[in-house]
Amino acid sequence: MRHSGAPNMLSVMRALHNDKCLCLFNSIALTTDHDTVDLMSNMNVKRTQFYKIMCRLLESGLIRRIQGKYSLTAMGRVVYYAQSLIGAAVQDYWKFAVLDSLQDIDMPKEEHQEIIKTMIDDKLRAALGAPT
């Protein structure tokens, strides 16, 4: 594995750019102490593709390998959390569309905040700048 310094946004996004990369990253995130055999048996990828994905995840600083076992780094845990926020936002897309349409209506700010509180989960509400 080659290190070219600190990872950047582009290297992180490239490491997670498709379903197989995300699936492998999530597999490592959801269980502990994966070794190569465990991970390869759960994936439907060729050996070379598997190692290419793992190399990207390692070089981007999202995972680490200690004594043959893979786990998320601290940064990997933050990226995994951010990914869960994106997933929740996509799942609640229609709720955000409703909130966008409510911005065109003249209503008191408190009422608007109450609607947000009722419709949107705490972790997503924080991203909207609404009180939790």
Side-chain angles (χ1 to χ4, degrees):
M1 173 178 69
R2 61 189 154 93
H3 289 281
S4 58
N8 58 44
M9 177 71 92
L10 187 56
S11 70
V12 171
M13 298 307 281
R14 280 186 182 149
L16 300 173
H17 78 284
N18 67 33
D19 289 345
K20 291 183 183 196
C21 297
L22 280 172
C23 184
L24 192 50
F25 178 69
N26 290 337
S27 292
I28 294 167
L30 294 173
T31 53
T32 57
D33 296 333
H34 279 294
D35 63 18
T36 302
V37 175
D38 291 339
L39 290 168
M40 282 186 69
S41 67
N42 294 332
M43 299 292 297
N44 187 21
V45 294
K46 294 179 181 174
R47 185 177 190 84
T48 55
Q49 188 178 16
F50 172 82
Y51 282 112
K52 189 179 275 189
I53 294 168
M54 293 305 285
C55 186
R56 277 195 201 124
L57 292 172
L58 286 162
E59 287 180 351
S60 66
L62 297 175
I63 65 170
R64 63 187 180 158
R65 183 176 182 203
I66 298 176
Q67 297 177 341
K69 305 285 184 179
Y70 294 98
S71 62
L72 294 185
T73 61
M75 187 175 93
R77 290 190 302 271
V78 171
V79 169
Y80 181 75
Y81 177 74
Q83 175 192 321
S84 74
L85 286 177
I86 293 167
V90 168
Q91 198 169 25
D92 287 349
Y93 170 80
W94 67 270
K95 293 178 183 179
F96 293 112
V98 169
L99 291 178
D100 288 340
S101 67
L102 289 177
Q103 288 181 346
D104 298 334
I105 299 172
D106 187 29
M107 75 170 60
K109 185 176 180 176
E110 297 79 24
E111 189 175 336
H112 190 260
Q113 295 295 335
E114 190 58 37
I115 292 170
I116 292 173
K117 189 173 185 177
T118 303
M119 291 178 62
I120 306 297
D121 183 85
D122 286 349
K123 62 184 178 182
L124 294 175
R125 229 179 298 144
L128 292 172
T132 55

